[in-house]
Amino acid sequence: MIARLLLLLLALLPVAAPAQEAPLVASLSQSEVEVTTGFTGASVMIFGATEAPIGPGGDEILVVVRGPTRPVVVRRKVRALGVLWVNGPSARFARVPGFYAIAGTRPAWQLLPEEERQRNGLGLDALPLESTGARSPQFRAALLGLETASGRWLEYAAPVEIDGSRLFHVQLPLPATVPTGNYQVEVLLVRSRRIVARQGLEFRVDRVGIADRIATVAQAEPLVYGIACVLLAAAAGWLGSVVFRRG
């Protein structure tokens, strides 16, 4: 906790003068997350300060992190001929966040009117997930279940902690499967059930070293990548058979 407080104070010192009139000042513990071949996950700390005390009856903080978007197709398996499972109806979601996390001093539904919460996409049920194809809400529910189980969508996984009365911080986990790209962070100051200030931040997740080279080959030369994977699998199988034969 002492290390966190020092980090907060050091980060806020350069902006001490203008922060006197700013209702909200926020920053990140790092601007880049490096993904290596041994990457098992990471975490990013968002911290800052407010001009007024934080807590029930005073200011409240919400933090939202959104990762790069990509299209996702959700399919329903159906039974054919009584024994086979084949692809049935599907829904295509055009812009699905590769990562989404929200944290707060309290849940957003306790801090904001429902209309404003939905308009700002604060919460998994408020994500603007537009789809084509099958229209059943079960497809959205299935997507929600898959992304939540993977650890890429988090809702109040970590509380925003208060240091003193005006300093805050939250540490959000990034899973091993986190996608690369630019991540948008939004820190919201809520007062009297209204968003009165917000600050946008950004960090990037990048592959480095061997992981970057493998990903580059997989994207630029998928045939070469596929052949290499087959050869490596065959070599591993042969080596395993030699080892067990000697044993």
Side-chain angles (χ1 to χ4, degrees), residues 4 6 46 52 73 90 99 111 113 125 129 148 152 155 166 173 187 190 198 200 203 217:
R4 290 179 176 176
L6 289 174
I46 300 101
V73 177
S90 64
F99 181 83
L111 302 180
D125 65 326
L129 300 173
T148 303
R152 290 189 294 265
E155 192 164 32
R166 292 177 173 81
V187 183
V190 179
R198 64 179 73 205
F203 67 92
V217 172

Side-chain angles (χ1 to χ4, degrees), residues 17 28 45-46 56 74 91 116 120-121 126 137 161 163 182 201 228 233 245:
L28 296 170
M45 180 187 290
I46 300 101
V74 178
E116 187 167 4
N120 286 275
E161 299 184 20
D163 298 305
N182 293 324
L201 306 167
R245 189 182 306 126

Side-chain angles (χ1 to χ4, degrees), residues 144-165:
L144 175 61
L146 291 170
E147 296 294 338
T148 303
S150 72
R152 290 189 294 265
W153 286 7
L154 306 170
E155 192 164 32
Y156 308 114
V160 173
E161 299 184 20
I162 309 304
D163 298 305
S165 62

Side-chain angles (χ1 to χ4, degrees), residues 11-12 15 28 37 70 75 85 95 106 116 138 143 149 169 176 179 188 190 192 223 237:
L12 293 172
V15 294
L28 296 170
T37 52
R70 84 285 192 206
R75 293 185 174 89
W85 289 95
R95 295 179 58 83
R106 285 191 291 159
E116 187 167 4
Q138 293 179 350
L143 176 63
H169 71 271
L188 307 174
V190 179
S192 301
L223 180 59

